[in-house]
Amino acid sequence: MDALRPGDPARIGGHRLLGRLGAGGMGVVYLGRTEAGALAAIKVILPEYAGDEDFRTRFRREAEAARRVDSRWAVPVTGADTESETPWLATEFVPGPTLSEVVARCGPLPTRSVHVLGRLLSRALTAVHGAGLVHRDVKPGNVLLTADGPRLIDFGIARAAEATALTATGLVVGTPGFLPPEQATGAGAGAGPEGDVFSLGCLLAYAATGRPPFGSGAVDALLYRTVHDEPDLAGVDDPALRALLGECLTKDPAARPAAADLDTRIAGDVPGDGASADWLPEDVARMIAERSAAMLALPDIEATVNTSATTPAPARRRFLALAAGGAVALGAGTFAAVRLIGDEPDGRSGASPAGRRWVIGVHADLTGAQRAAGRAQERGVRLAVDRFNSRTDKPFTLAVKVLDDGGEPARSVRVAEEFARDRDVLAVIGPTGDAATGAALPAYDEAVLPLLTVSSLQISYPARVNAAFFQASPSYAALSMPIVNRLLLRPDVERLGVLIDRSGGQAAYQAGYATNLMTPSLTTGTTHPRVVPAGTSDLGPVIADLLGHRSDALFYAGDAAGGARAARALAATPFKGPSMAQHTVMRTEFLERAGETAEGWEFIAPFTDAGGVSGEPGVPGAADFAAAHRKRFGAAPAAWSAEAYDVTGLVAQEVAALVGSATKGGAGPTGSPTATSSGSTPSGGTPSAGTPSADGRPGRAALVAAIAASRYKGISRTYAFDEERQQLVGQDAHLYRAEGGRYRYLGPAPKPKS
């Protein structure tokens, strides 16, 4: 639990708030205590979403769904006000760990534990289905373990069994690896109680083996295996349990047992009232006991500190003034007119009063296929560091260290290891590409070194222990939502032709797959997808096929050369509908090869126009940023420069807050400036990841936690990260059109309303 922040309320709905349990882009979850002493988890919606009627309707539906479930094994709603100016929902607080946390730390559960888990969760689902609901997100992260049994939580995307409309903003309704094939194929809007049984089967297989039954990795491959492959139940040694899991995981929903039937069919006893945690292994029972004991140390109602929005604590208030001093505000989205100072090691950047000088790393492709993006990001980082160092009252000085991986995974690993060994490196921006990022993650994770990428857009990455990685840009799948909205939310389009060119690699496949998947979920439209092998030179036949199947609009996912071939082939037909290509096509090569046929093609991109692509600043703060970029580098900023500038500013903001908090002797944004990570001292002699150094440098784990909880307004977007995967919250993107031989910025991309 983190400490309350200045601006957090002291009370919500009769609850005295004790601390923060978590935060995301749409709301904050607090731990609260009633006047009677009962603890509650209170979800409070942020003001910007409280004013969105569609969002409020979904939140109201969540509260109504949770209230209808009456089961000891589902966490109950204890209060809610969905109509107030600040909507909130309170549930009973359960201090136990999640099943995913238990399996990650302690390994698979023994057979008896899995039996108990299955029987009691089947009772929870029986109550859910008896209330006419479908949970739709049964997964290890939504199951809490207590001494007397599990608790099913999170009805955020639950809905009436007969409903057909999408009720959540997620890319897939459910969690890949634990969702049924009928949802994996895009038919999730019609998934019924049978889908929850399939998800429960996945969950129990995970509990018994320590891995999901359809594997892990890239989401597109995971969804494919869910639909087409048999589950991997190796390690489920109990024959009866193995047979029952096989029935739960059958592809045919009608052949699965009902949740109510599972209670009697799963062997074994269940804990009675007041039972100890003897249904769980000793190490798991110890985890539960430790969590419960921690609750006893919470402050009483009178001792809770009220840090109101209008009167922050004096030490914190003084530091906020320091952080916003002079002409430079760390959290602002504009680039103030400042003196640009270099970051060379000769000290020309100006030392801080305390003589502290720390490093922001840039892990980039500077010589490979993505060198333009890598160089743009390096320049964005340098400008942000210039901006910070220009402050006369800076509490420390920043420098930039740049290492080139050439876009090669093997070199990327070596770059990551070098950054991890450098004790002065606070955080790293990068890598540039998907493959380089995946290869580097283990080294950064082991060192608990914060890593923020703005241009690696994979849907998922290898599992990590210390969660030091932040995807600070919408994924290929997230970008599919504004693509679908732009192309299909118009009266003249009913069917979208999707051309996936494997020349574009995984980026093209993931973008095309997600667009195809999301179209029937977000709209009443349909798709006609086609996949062509890499190297296909003549796209005329596939374009003819797309149009022959009555496609009113076209989306191309691939590379610049293939996009040009598609544009030329489409221009040879009578087609006059809208056409769009993946942002990876947005290169000079596309304009040159497509010529006049590029005219009118549109692009949804994760990067903003800060005066570089079109030469016309298109967003607030872009003009000042572009002017500073021209002064420093003699050129307008290119794509990805503003995003790198933004995340560097985010890191500087959180480091300054931690340093200021430690200097004033208070708790930092993460609750404690000396919070430690679950990991020990990383290789290479770096001090404990969570402990400040002798010169006051924040521990890496403390900085990771601060970034995870941050909210930062940048030039490109507002940055906030979800708790589970630390991916960017929201689908903010940007719209461009090819006009007159250049890319013209049209403004923010359309956002989905529901």
Side-chain angles (χ1 to χ4, degrees):
M1 181 179 71
D2 293 338
L4 294 175
R5 298 183 179 185
D8 283 338
R11 290 181 177 272
I12 287 286
H15 301 83
R16 189 59 172 270
L17 302 189
L18 305 176
R20 284 175 164 235
L21 294 174
M26 297 180 182
V28 180
V29 180
Y30 297 100
L31 177 64
R33 177 178 276 150
T34 66
E35 297 294 340
L39 294 175
I42 307 160
K43 180 187 295 186
V44 179
I45 301 306
L46 293 173
E48 55 263 44
Y49 292 100
D52 184 331
E53 190 53 41
D54 288 339
F55 186 90
R56 188 181 284 267
T57 298
R58 288 197 302 273
F59 187 63
R60 186 182 302 120
R61 189 177 305 152
E62 174 182 353
E64 292 170 353
R67 283 185 183 277
R68 289 160 62 181
V69 178
D70 183 13
S71 172
R72 175 182 174 184
W73 313 113
V75 174
V77 171
T78 58
D81 189 347
T82 60
E83 309 307 320
S84 71
E85 184 177 352
T86 305
W88 59 271
L89 170 69
T91 62
E92 177 185 297
F93 177 70
V94 178
T98 64
L99 176 61
S100 56
E101 182 181 357
V102 164
V103 172
R105 290 183 57 180
C106 305
L109 298 180
T111 298
R112 185 195 171 219
S113 299
V114 177
H115 285 167
V116 173
L117 193 66
R119 291 194 69 178
L120 298 184
L121 289 178
S122 71
R123 295 179 186 180
L125 287 178
T126 298
V128 171
H129 301 160
L133 299 171
V134 185
H135 189 283
R136 299 201 301 168
D137 200 17
V138 178
K139 62 180 180 180
N142 279 341
V143 173
L144 300 174
L145 300 186
T146 72
D148 64 352
R151 300 292 190 276
L152 181 64
I153 64 171
D154 197 352
F155 292 84
I157 60 174
R159 60 180 171 86
E162 69 275 10
T164 57
L166 185 70
T167 59
T169 57
L171 298 175
V172 177
V173 183
T175 301
F178 297 92
L179 52 75
E182 56 266 31
Q183 287 176 239
T185 56
E194 302 87 355
D196 283 346
V197 172
F198 186 96
S199 299
L200 179 60
C202 292
L203 180 148
L204 295 177
Y206 170 85
T209 65
R211 63 183 186 282
F214 297 99
S216 57
V219 170
D220 55 341
L222 184 54
L223 296 178
Y224 181 90
R225 291 194 296 269
T226 300
V227 175
H228 299 287
D229 292 357
E230 292 302 310
D232 176 11
L233 298 179
V236 182
D237 299 325
D238 181 73
L241 178 60
R242 187 185 182 100
L244 187 60
L245 291 182
E247 292 183 45
C248 293
L249 296 174
T250 185
K251 309 298 183 188
D252 180 8
R256 298 170 198 152
D261 296 334
L262 295 177
D263 185 14
T264 57
R265 294 185 58 183
I266 298 177
D269 58 352
V270 296
D273 290 339
S276 65
D278 62 354
W279 69 282
L280 290 167
E282 182 178 347
D283 51 353
V284 178
R286 188 180 305 112
M287 284 180 63
I288 294 173
E290 290 171 352
R291 297 290 175 86
S292 299
M295 293 301 102
L296 298 177
L298 288 171
D300 60 25
I301 295 174
E302 289 71 29
T304 305
V305 177
N306 180 358
T307 51
S308 68
T310 57
T311 311
R316 178 63 173 165
R317 180 170 63 249
R318 286 195 299 271
F319 178 69
L320 289 174
L322 168 68
V328 184
L330 284 176
T334 60
F335 191 100
V338 299
R339 182 168 57 94
L340 297 178
I341 306 172
D343 59 349
E344 291 79 8
D346 60 8
R348 281 186 288 146
S349 59
S352 65
R356 297 179 289 196
R357 186 173 183 274
W358 303 322
V359 176
I360 300 292
V362 179
H363 181 158
D365 175 3
L366 300 177
T367 54
Q370 292 182 277
R371 56 186 176 275
R375 183 62 66 188
Q377 290 176 33
E378 177 195 348
R379 290 180 170 184
V381 173
R382 290 188 183 279
L383 276 181
V385 167
D386 286 345
R387 175 192 185 188
F388 183 86
N389 288 343
S390 69
R391 292 170 44 188
T392 57
D393 57 355
K394 56 185 176 293
F396 52 85
T397 300
L398 289 176
V400 179
K401 177 178 180 178
V402 183
L403 295 178
D404 174 25
D405 65 18
E408 301 174 9
R411 285 178 60 182
S412 181
V413 173
R414 294 194 293 271
V415 166
E417 290 172 344
E418 179 171 340
F419 275 130
R421 287 192 296 267
D422 189 338
R423 63 185 302 272
D424 286 330
V425 175
L426 297 171
V428 175
I429 312 303
T432 312
D434 295 329
T437 301
L441 281 182
Y444 287 114
D445 188 60
E446 181 181 355
V448 203
L449 176 57
L451 177 70
L452 299 90
T453 182
V454 298
S455 56
S456 179
L457 312 183
Q458 289 278 110
I459 296 176
S460 66
Y461 296 86
R464 299 168 300 282
V465 175
N466 291 309
F469 172 61
F470 298 87
Q471 187 180 26
S473 191
S475 69
Y476 298 119
L479 290 172
S480 72
M481 301 183 78
I483 288 170
V484 169
N485 276 271
R486 178 67 175 176
L487 290 176
L488 282 117
L489 295 186
R490 55 179 81 193
D492 57 336
V493 175
E494 288 294 332
R495 175 168 293 188
L496 175 63
V498 180
L499 200 171
I500 303 174
D501 188 341
R502 294 310 293 260
S503 294
Q506 275 294 307
Y509 188 79
Q510 291 186 20
Y513 182 91
T515 300
N516 182 60
L517 183 69
M518 292 308 300
T519 295
S521 297
L522 292 173
T523 73
T524 59
T526 58
T527 61
H528 181 65
R530 284 293 305 270
V531 181
V532 299
T536 302
S537 58
D538 183 8
L539 294 181
V542 71
I543 292 291
D545 177 76
L546 292 172
L547 301 183
H549 283 81
R550 305 186 309 281
S551 296
D552 305 306
L554 178 69
F555 175 66
Y556 170 83
D559 59 8
R565 289 193 291 270
R568 292 197 302 270
L570 190 64
T573 73
F575 179 79
K576 300 299 181 184
S579 51
M580 179 176 285
Q582 187 180 11
H583 74 275
T584 52
V585 173
M586 282 183 65
R587 298 187 178 186
T588 304
E589 180 183 6
F590 171 75
L591 298 174
E592 293 175 346
R593 292 194 179 195
E596 293 182 355
T597 66
E599 195 75 8
W601 276 71
E602 292 186 345
F603 310 84
I604 297 292
F607 46 78
T608 190
D609 177 20
V613 177
S614 71
E616 300 171 358
V619 294
D624 291 333
F625 172 76
H629 193 284
R630 290 186 178 92
K631 182 176 181 180
R632 174 77 147 91
F633 302 109
W640 302 115
S641 184
E643 287 70 27
Y645 171 83
D646 282 346
V647 296
T648 306
L650 184 159
V651 170
Q653 168 186 276
E654 297 306 319
V655 174
L658 288 170
V659 171
S661 181
T663 301
K664 301 298 181 182
T670 60
S672 169
T674 59
T676 57
S677 165
S678 58
S680 58
T681 302
S683 59
T686 303
S688 177
T691 306
S693 63
D695 62 355
R697 182 181 66 253
R700 288 175 172 178
L703 181 55
V704 167
I707 293 171
S710 66
R711 186 174 180 84
Y712 182 83
K713 178 65 176 176
I715 290 175
S716 178
R717 57 177 52 86
T718 295
Y719 292 82
F721 303 97
D722 71 72
E723 291 185 30
E724 185 170 351
R725 297 185 179 181
Q726 297 188 173
Q727 291 177 316
L728 187 73
V729 173
Q731 292 86 38
D732 290 318
H734 303 275
L735 179 63
Y736 295 80
R737 181 185 295 141
E739 291 184 0
R742 65 187 182 97
Y743 296 112
R744 179 189 170 202
Y745 180 67
L746 301 182
K751 290 184 180 181
K753 287 187 174 295
S754 62

